[in-house]
Amino acid sequence: MTQEKIYDIIGIGIGPFNLSMACLASPVKDLNTLFFDRSDRFDWHPGMMMQDTTLQIPFMADLVTMADPTSEFTFLNYIKEKGRIYSFYIRENFYLLRNEYNQYCQWAIEKLDNLRFSHNVEDIMYDEEQGNYLVKVYNKTEDTVESYRTRKIVLGTGTTPYMPSFFHPVKDLAAHSSEYLYKKKELQSRKAITIIGSGQSAAEIYYDLLQEIDVYGYELNWITRSTHFFQMEYNKLTLELTSPEYVDYFYSLPAEKRKALLKNQNSLYKGINESLINDIFDLLYTKRLTADFKTNLLTNSECVGAKYTKQGIIDLEFYHSEQEENFHFETDGLVLCTGYKYRLPAFLDGINDRIDWKSTEKFNVQRNYSIDKNANEIFVQNAELETHGFVTPDLGMGCYRNSYILREITGRDIYHVEQQIAFQKFGVYENLTKAQQYETSISK
């Protein structure tokens, strides 16, 4: 089947960011868009969908509100349609349950006609004669290959679970956090369960397993290379770093400076909710009153090796960064909260020469989120951490990025793109000379 229509935008991958783009593009009458995803349906991190887990951002960071609060795709419109807006109001909690966010996204999908699931993009070529891209897609439902043409492409293929290579010899017994719920029962049959990692996912899994530690009788261990189990920074001046002007500032820095900054910003986007840290401590305290159980919480301990010592037993080697000593730890259950990494899609091979590469595996992402040599044809979602900073995976900045990309593609402000929202200034203060600055400070 050949589709002769030329689309303005084809989006590849339908995660929250490209779903947001689809929602924001939908009411624009002169904009033709189409989005593909190889999955059969939208299901956001199903392996971590514990009953009480929440997002780490307020409900206003939904698919559209920060770009267009009047949109039909807002969370408030969803909760009103579902007859739960008064319950949500009375609950007085701005942080959505993860299940609730997933259901909200599925509701938005049902309202859109520019999404195609079960469609796997296999190849992209550039047609020099027509000046557009030819996208070949395998329709799994119909078992057919289809062709589509588009002027612009938005990549939203997202990140994939990451497992350091030294864990590969024991991966058949290990579970990545992304598949936790699928392997929970199996894990709870083990004598010892060890969780490696220090972020929100690790904390949620530890808390979930801690609740039934006295029922199943397993040993529960939580080990991190961080100096402590740290909470996400939520003070208001720190939150101003999730601003357009901070993205501008970060982008303007030399690459080595950006890299160094990211290493020191873990608490800005990789930390644990304060309430969850407190809940973990309270649960430990409460259970200790009535039950005898074994748990270990170890910090400053970086895992550097993993191997089988005997049938079903994993020997983990750690390096203690402060005492500068190695030690070993045995377990028969292992959960790796080692995060996610961007993986280059194979379908980019056909347009490899049109992409501006920083290295063989990294895009040179421009400030406008483009990665092509013309800086106006191929755009990325959640693939610009090294250039745009820690706000890259933040759902709260998704609407800003999509508004920016839509402006770049259409040449007009469909949705107002904020330039300055912070009280702070992040660069050198240029309006006064040093002498004037000194005199001003003395007068104050």
Side-chain angles (χ1 to χ4, degrees), residues 86-131:
Y86 279 96
S87 296
F88 181 74
Y89 167 70
I90 293 169
R91 182 170 177 256
E92 289 190 334
N93 189 331
F94 277 10
Y95 298 95
L96 301 184
L97 293 164
R98 195 173 289 155
N99 265 312
E100 191 170 32
Y101 180 77
N102 193 46
Q103 292 170 13
Y104 155 65
C105 289
Q106 291 169 347
W107 165 85
I109 286 167
E110 291 176 0
K111 291 178 171 289
L112 292 165
D113 61 4
N114 56 352
L115 308 178
R116 302 290 184 271
F117 288 92
S118 298
H119 281 65
N120 184 38
V121 174
E122 295 185 333
D123 192 24
I124 304 177
M125 302 295 291
Y126 185 74
D127 188 327
E128 294 282 356
E129 185 176 336
Q130 292 199 27

Side-chain angles (χ1 to χ4, degrees), residues 72 99 122 150 174 205 257 318 403:
E72 65 172 310
N99 265 312
E122 295 185 333
T150 184
I205 291 171
K257 180 67 72 174
F318 291 90
S403 298

Side-chain angles (χ1 to χ4, degrees), residues 68-222:
D68 180 11
T70 68
S71 168
E72 65 172 310
F73 298 104
T74 64
F75 173 78
L76 287 180
N77 191 38
Y78 159 75
I79 207 74
K80 177 67 175 180
E81 278 195 16
K82 294 297 180 181
R84 297 203 308 270
I85 196 166
Y86 279 96
S87 296
F88 181 74
Y89 167 70
I90 293 169
R91 182 170 177 256
E92 289 190 334
N93 189 331
F94 277 10
Y95 298 95
L96 301 184
L97 293 164
R98 195 173 289 155
N99 265 312
E100 191 170 32
Y101 180 77
N102 193 46
Q103 292 170 13
Y104 155 65
C105 289
Q106 291 169 347
W107 165 85
I109 286 167
E110 291 176 0
K111 291 178 171 289
L112 292 165
D113 61 4
N114 56 352
L115 308 178
R116 302 290 184 271
F117 288 92
S118 298
H119 281 65
N120 184 38
V121 174
E122 295 185 333
D123 192 24
I124 304 177
M125 302 295 291
Y126 185 74
D127 188 327
E128 294 282 356
E129 185 176 336
Q130 292 199 27
N132 55 45
Y133 291 89
L134 181 65
V135 182
K136 291 189 176 181
V137 184
Y138 173 63
N139 183 336
K140 294 193 289 183
T141 304
E142 301 294 333
D143 192 25
T144 57
V145 175
E146 304 169 351
S147 295
Y148 299 83
R149 290 186 179 273
T150 184
R151 297 180 179 88
K152 313 290 184 181
I153 295 171
V154 180
L155 298 177
T157 50
T159 54
T160 56
Y162 170 69
M163 181 183 296
S165 58
F166 59 79
F167 284 117
H168 291 179
V170 299
K171 64 182 179 180
D172 58 326
L173 200 60
H176 189 271
S177 59
S178 61
E179 53 187 354
Y180 166 66
L181 285 182
Y182 303 128
K183 296 192 175 182
K184 179 180 176 180
K185 286 187 178 180
E186 181 184 347
L187 284 165
Q188 289 184 310
S189 69
R190 307 292 182 184
K191 291 182 180 179
I193 307 171
T194 301
I195 302 164
I196 295 179
S198 61
Q200 181 73 7
S201 295
E204 289 172 354
I205 291 171
Y206 180 82
Y207 184 67
D208 191 55
L209 290 171
L210 182 62
Q211 294 182 64
E212 297 181 303
I213 192 171
D214 46 345
V215 176
Y216 289 92
Y218 44 73
E219 175 186 321
L220 184 59
N221 310 297
W222 185 10

Side-chain angles (χ1 to χ4, degrees), residues 86-367:
Y86 279 96
S87 296
F88 181 74
Y89 167 70
I90 293 169
R91 182 170 177 256
E92 289 190 334
N93 189 331
F94 277 10
Y95 298 95
L96 301 184
L97 293 164
R98 195 173 289 155
N99 265 312
E100 191 170 32
Y101 180 77
N102 193 46
Q103 292 170 13
Y104 155 65
C105 289
Q106 291 169 347
W107 165 85
I109 286 167
E110 291 176 0
K111 291 178 171 289
L112 292 165
D113 61 4
N114 56 352
L115 308 178
R116 302 290 184 271
F117 288 92
S118 298
H119 281 65
N120 184 38
V121 174
E122 295 185 333
D123 192 24
I124 304 177
M125 302 295 291
Y126 185 74
D127 188 327
E128 294 282 356
E129 185 176 336
Q130 292 199 27
N132 55 45
Y133 291 89
L134 181 65
V135 182
K136 291 189 176 181
V137 184
Y138 173 63
N139 183 336
K140 294 193 289 183
T141 304
E142 301 294 333
D143 192 25
T144 57
V145 175
E146 304 169 351
S147 295
Y148 299 83
R149 290 186 179 273
T150 184
R151 297 180 179 88
K152 313 290 184 181
I153 295 171
V154 180
L155 298 177
T157 50
T159 54
T160 56
Y162 170 69
M163 181 183 296
S165 58
F166 59 79
F167 284 117
H168 291 179
V170 299
K171 64 182 179 180
D172 58 326
L173 200 60
H176 189 271
S177 59
S178 61
E179 53 187 354
Y180 166 66
L181 285 182
Y182 303 128
K183 296 192 175 182
K184 179 180 176 180
K185 286 187 178 180
E186 181 184 347
L187 284 165
Q188 289 184 310
S189 69
R190 307 292 182 184
K191 291 182 180 179
I193 307 171
T194 301
I195 302 164
I196 295 179
S198 61
Q200 181 73 7
S201 295
E204 289 172 354
I205 291 171
Y206 180 82
Y207 184 67
D208 191 55
L209 290 171
L210 182 62
Q211 294 182 64
E212 297 181 303
I213 192 171
D214 46 345
V215 176
Y216 289 92
Y218 44 73
E219 175 186 321
L220 184 59
N221 310 297
W222 185 10
I223 307 176
T224 175
R225 64 184 176 184
S226 299
T227 58
H228 61 292
F229 297 100
F230 58 91
Q231 72 181 64
M232 185 89 81
E233 285 193 56
Y234 274 124
N235 73 74
K236 295 173 184 178
L237 286 176
T238 297
L239 285 175
E240 282 196 337
L241 298 183
T242 60
S243 63
E245 55 263 53
Y246 186 76
V247 175
D248 289 335
Y249 168 72
F250 186 90
Y251 185 84
S252 70
L253 295 173
E256 286 304 312
K257 180 67 72 174
R258 294 197 301 257
K259 186 177 180 180
L261 262 178
L262 282 173
K263 284 184 177 179
N264 295 316
Q265 291 180 334
N266 282 349
S267 63
L268 303 181
Y269 71 114
K270 290 185 177 180
I272 307 165
N273 290 347
E274 180 184 8
S275 59
L276 179 56
I277 293 178
N278 293 334
D279 287 344
I280 288 171
F281 183 91
D282 290 346
L283 185 57
L284 284 166
Y285 185 90
T286 301
K287 281 192 174 291
R288 188 62 79 194
L289 296 177
T290 57
D292 185 21
F293 59 91
K294 186 174 181 180
T295 186
N296 295 290
L297 286 81
L298 307 178
T299 58
N300 291 298
S301 302
E302 180 179 1
C303 193
V304 294
K307 63 182 180 180
Y308 286 120
T309 55
K310 51 188 174 182
Q311 185 67 33
I313 301 297
I314 300 174
D315 174 69
L316 299 170
E317 183 180 1
F318 291 90
Y319 175 73
H320 194 284
S321 58
E322 291 186 353
Q323 295 188 324
E324 299 183 350
E325 291 184 21
N326 287 63
F327 66 93
H328 290 262
F329 202 95
E330 286 193 344
T331 189
D332 59 346
L334 182 61
V335 183
L336 303 176
C337 301
T338 46
Y340 297 78
K341 282 197 172 182
Y342 188 81
R343 182 175 297 174
L344 288 176
F347 57 72
L348 292 179
D349 289 349
I351 52 172
N352 185 71
D353 61 338
R354 297 193 68 79
I355 294 175
D356 187 11
W357 296 99
K358 182 186 296 184
S359 65
T360 54
E361 294 187 355
K362 292 183 179 179
F363 306 128
N364 184 27
V365 187
Q366 299 301 312
R367 177 60 185 88

